Amino acid sequence: MAYNLAPLQQLVEQFERMPGIGHKTAQRMAFYILGLSKEQAQEFANAVTNAHTKIKQCKICCDLADDELCPVCKSETRDKSVICVVEDPRDVAAIERTHEYNGTYHVLHGAISPMDNRGPDSIKIKELLARLKDGSVDEVIMATNPTVEGEATAMYISRLLKPMGITVSRLAYGVPVGADLEYADEVTLSRALEGRSVI
């Protein structure tokens, strides 16, 4: 017997719209929501609504914030002379988990992708250039994804910054820790050889 309950189907469809969520997982999530008490379901709905209405973009770096500025831009201890440029707010979270970087960020909210009709004006490049006008930034680290779009975006931005005299660096690529060389593809190995360092 198939479930043809319209409200349940609508809930499943909403979960299926999430990246990486297939039909079965969406069904499990929907049934989980149905199993919540009325109060718990309301708490869940309130959390979604609050996140959607209260979280906005930091007016400096375009990362997610619940205030005018994100915690990194508010911090007095961060090195404001270095900006790490990333595609997505999730990338900021990933770099912060390393506890190795003490500079600031700039979130582009995408990458240049002609196939998706997304040009330089569709992402936050103008905002980045505006931050660099006062001359307080010495280095911009390009930490876009190692994809065709990420590489194109990094190259485009680096060409814009070259006349400003700002050092532009790129995250190193290479073989992941714990990986076997025999399973690495040719591009990864060639990048690892190019980016080798003295020990």
Side-chain angles (χ1 to χ4, degrees):
M1 176 180 123
Y3 282 103
N4 291 323
L5 305 172
L8 176 60
Q9 192 55 40
Q10 286 175 332
L11 188 56
V12 170
E13 287 169 5
Q14 290 303 312
F15 283 125
E16 280 182 314
R17 294 171 71 180
M18 295 178 177
I21 303 296
H23 184 71
K24 287 193 175 201
T25 302
Q27 270 187 327
R28 275 196 293 276
M29 293 167 81
F31 279 109
Y32 169 78
I33 295 295
L34 289 177
L36 296 176
S37 69
K38 190 173 182 178
E39 293 79 22
Q40 290 171 322
Q42 191 58 55
E43 273 180 44
F44 185 88
N46 289 344
V48 171
T49 303
N50 281 342
H52 204 270
T53 56
K54 292 183 179 175
I55 294 178
K56 49 191 170 254
Q57 289 182 11
C58 172
K59 70 177 188 178
I60 295 176
C61 72
C62 304
D63 191 12
L64 300 180
D66 60 357
D67 202 354
E68 289 285 302
L69 301 179
C70 71
V72 172
C73 289
K74 276 185 197 173
S75 174
E76 297 294 323
T77 62
R78 301 300 286 235
D79 182 358
K80 305 277 199 272
S81 69
V82 182
I83 297 176
C84 182
V85 177
V86 297
E87 291 181 28
D88 189 90
R90 290 172 290 195
D91 301 331
V92 172
I95 294 171
E96 283 297 290
R97 281 195 302 271
T98 68
H99 303 290
E100 294 293 322
Y101 178 69
N102 192 41
T104 59
Y105 296 93
H106 188 82
V107 182
L108 296 171
H109 291 277
I112 297 170
S113 177
M115 297 290 285
D116 298 320
N117 290 324
R118 198 166 50 237
D121 293 337
S122 304
I123 58 177
K124 307 288 184 182
I125 294 176
K126 279 185 250 171
E127 291 82 351
L128 173 63
L129 296 176
R131 291 177 67 183
L132 303 175
K133 284 184 179 170
D134 66 3
S136 63
V137 176
D138 299 325
E139 181 182 9
V140 172
I141 302 168
M142 295 307 305
T144 53
N145 293 325
T147 59
V148 172
E149 296 82 4
E151 291 292 331
T153 304
M155 290 306 296
Y156 180 84
I157 293 172
S158 66
R159 285 191 188 119
L160 291 176
L161 303 187
K162 201 168 215 88
M164 297 180 170
I166 297 170
T167 302
V168 180
S169 59
R170 185 84 168 105
L171 283 187
Y173 298 120
V175 181
V177 174
D180 293 325
L181 286 181
E182 64 182 294
Y183 299 117
D185 62 273
E186 293 82 12
V187 175
T188 300
L189 278 175
S190 65
R191 290 267 170 82
L193 285 167
E194 287 168 15
R196 67 190 183 277
S197 57
V198 178
I199 57 171

